[in-house]
Amino acid sequence: MGYKSFGKRRSLRLKHYDYSSPRPIHVIIGTYRRRPYLANRLLVEKLVSLLRAVAEEYGVRVYAYCFMPDHLHLLFSPAVGCDAVRFVQLLKGKSTRVFWASGGKGKLWQRGFYDHILRKEERLEEVARYILNNPVRKGLVRKASDYPYGGSLVFDIR
């Protein structure tokens, strides 16, 4: 099942949830029209550096990330002054500029993003492992540790 595309009027965010809460959130951001832009090694290396810089600048803790060819998984906790929606907006905007500077044209990302706020019973480590094993489930590598575009800015996963 692919990502759903919603009209501009329909918000994908929960109406009454405080996205500035420090509760960890799993976000999936799809590339525009599911194009495999993130299969470009040089682009993804720049985007990993950008993710690190933006997370550090805004104090966001990124527990796991995985750049798949046509989408990005992030597991993070928002920071004071930078809620989850703002962090994703910043990352999408800055990464689009990196995409353009790398020769890309047009849109890099789809509108909006999917989010799942972790419930109290969900273990952060299990969700991080799920994210990091995405390339194994998709048949891109045999072991998650072999995939160069997944990692953590908090945990030592190697």
Side-chain angles (χ1 to χ4, degrees):
M1 179 175 177
Y3 290 98
K4 282 194 168 189
S5 170
F6 295 99
K8 291 189 187 251
R9 288 192 217 186
R10 182 162 175 204
S11 174
L12 302 175
R13 308 288 68 82
L14 295 173
K15 280 185 182 178
H16 303 293
Y17 183 74
D18 178 7
Y19 281 90
S20 65
S21 165
R23 181 170 290 291
I25 184 168
H26 175 198
V27 167
I28 303 171
I29 309 168
T31 58
Y32 185 66
R33 295 189 176 165
R34 298 291 304 247
R35 293 186 175 135
Y37 294 132
L38 304 178
N40 178 320
R41 179 182 59 82
L42 294 175
L43 174 62
V44 175
E45 287 172 359
K46 291 175 185 176
L47 296 181
V48 170
S49 294
L50 176 69
L51 172 63
R52 185 179 308 281
V54 173
E56 188 174 302
E57 180 179 353
Y58 291 94
V60 172
R61 295 177 55 86
V62 178
Y63 304 107
Y65 64 87
C66 187
F67 287 85
M68 296 296 287
D70 63 358
H71 64 281
L72 167 62
H73 287 266
L74 291 173
L75 176 61
F76 67 95
S77 287
V80 173
C82 189
D83 67 28
V85 174
R86 179 76 180 129
F87 178 67
V88 172
Q89 288 172 338
L90 285 165
L91 189 63
K92 286 174 71 174
K94 290 174 184 268
S95 61
T96 296
R97 287 189 284 284
V98 169
F99 174 63
W100 292 338
S102 300
K105 304 243 186 288
K107 297 178 181 182
L108 173 59
W109 303 110
Q110 71 177 14
R111 180 187 165 273
F113 58 91
Y114 167 83
D115 66 68
H116 172 78
I117 295 106
L118 270 63
R119 292 163 180 79
K120 291 178 184 174
E121 66 274 6
E122 291 178 291
R123 295 193 53 232
L124 186 69
E125 296 82 6
E126 288 176 13
V127 177
R129 194 172 300 114
Y130 171 82
I131 289 169
L132 295 172
N133 278 308
N134 202 18
V136 175
R137 287 189 304 278
K138 296 293 183 183
L140 299 176
V141 292
R142 290 176 53 110
K143 298 183 306 186
S145 61
D146 292 339
Y147 194 69
Y149 312 122
S152 173
L153 305 183
V154 176
F155 303 125
D156 179 10
I157 60 164
R158 303 290 177 215

